[in-house]
Amino acid sequence: MLRFTPILLAILYALAMYRFSVWRTHKDLDAKSTELADPKLKQLTDQMAAALGLTRIPVFIYEIDPVNGLAAPDGRIFITRGFYRKFQAGDVSAAEMSSVIAHELGHVALGHSRRRMIDFSGQNALRTALAMVLGRYIPFIGVWIANMTASLLMARLSRSDEYEADEYAAALLTKAGIGIASQKSLFLKLEELTQSRAGVSPAWLMSHPKTAERIAALETLENRWKTQG
């Protein structure tokens, strides 16, 4: 029984972390967000809503500075105040902002946003269990190995989710008559932002596939649609 104690503790820890993470996320988003009311963006979100058979797509402004977009576990879509400022300044177009919203809608529709909260808890459980087990046999280094293993696993899952959300967004933007050129142009702008910060990736690119690979995947998708059409 004692041999399985670390695993049982890790499972209990994961459950506690999951509930705490959900509570903390909802509380923070509720306290720091308001619904977006922008005529230009609403016109495009209405086009996407019509393509999905919905009345409208509510989008919320999350009052933080980093340039980011996110989908909450409850299905709400957010863009940060920092991202919206880029749009207001003309650095990001309305179509490019709509591609962010479509991408986050993909995370919701494909179940990524809710699953990621579970994955976060699972990552902590895996890290805790491995650290407990390896720490007995490889002091100090065992904890490092546990952290690296959990981080690599989560990065792989995240990249897979991003490709799927990109594909969903491409299909939605095409059906809505917006097109996917805005997706590709936004990726290039975010890459420039990364370079301008001396190699420090903006939040929206963390744990994401490389920009060139994402654009190549979209072009492959376009070519496949043309062939099928």
Side-chain angles (χ1 to χ4, degrees):
M1 180 64 184
L2 291 176
R3 294 174 58 187
F4 296 102
T5 299
I7 298 175
L8 292 175
L9 289 174
I11 292 173
L12 292 174
Y13 175 75
L15 290 172
M17 284 300 300
Y18 171 71
R19 292 190 177 278
F20 176 73
S21 296
V22 171
W23 172 81
R24 184 178 59 183
T25 299
H26 279 283
K27 183 178 180 181
D28 191 57
L29 291 174
D30 289 343
K32 298 180 181 178
S33 65
T34 54
E35 187 168 350
L36 172 66
D38 186 287
K40 291 182 180 179
L41 294 180
K42 186 178 185 303
Q43 180 181 346
L44 295 176
T45 58
D46 283 349
Q47 288 177 230
M48 290 191 287
L52 292 171
L54 301 174
T55 304
R56 70 188 189 102
I57 298 173
V59 179
F60 297 84
I61 293 285
Y62 184 27
E63 298 292 345
I64 60 173
D65 290 329
V67 174
N68 207 347
L70 62 120
D74 62 7
R76 287 180 294 171
I77 304 300
F78 295 83
I79 56 175
T80 63
R81 177 62 69 180
F83 215 153
Y84 186 58
R85 288 196 189 107
K86 294 291 185 183
F87 166 67
Q88 290 178 308
D91 296 328
V92 178
S93 70
E96 288 167 341
M97 289 300 291
S98 73
S99 75
V100 177
I101 295 168
H103 178 89
E104 300 306 328
L105 284 169
H107 282 310
V108 172
L110 298 170
H112 297 163
S113 54
R114 186 173 294 276
R115 191 183 74 203
R116 279 180 175 185
M117 190 68 71
I118 298 172
D119 286 344
F120 170 77
S121 303
Q123 179 188 11
N124 281 289
L126 176 63
R127 180 183 287 112
T128 301
L130 286 175
M132 287 179 177
V133 174
L134 294 177
R136 293 182 177 182
Y137 304 100
I138 318 175
F140 305 111
I141 299 177
V143 175
W144 180 81
I145 293 174
N147 288 333
M148 285 295 296
T149 301
S151 297
L152 288 172
L153 176 62
M154 287 304 300
R156 183 173 181 179
L157 289 172
S158 179
R159 287 192 294 270
S160 175
D161 286 353
E162 294 308 316
Y163 280 124
E164 290 179 3
D166 284 348
E167 185 168 344
Y168 179 96
L172 176 55
L173 291 166
T174 300
K175 187 176 181 180
I178 300 171
I180 69 173
S182 58
Q183 273 182 291
K184 293 187 284 188
S185 63
L186 180 64
F187 289 156
L188 291 172
K189 288 182 179 181
L190 289 171
E191 182 70 13
E192 291 172 2
L193 177 60
T194 304
Q195 293 173 353
S196 68
R197 294 178 61 193
V200 180
S201 296
W204 205 66
L205 288 177
M206 291 180 180
S207 300
H208 286 49
K210 293 180 180 179
T211 296
E213 294 173 355
R214 297 178 80 173
I215 292 175
L218 288 176
E219 291 175 344
T220 299
L221 189 63
E222 278 184 296
N223 292 331
R224 187 169 77 233
W225 286 344
K226 289 177 182 178
T227 302
Q228 294 174 348

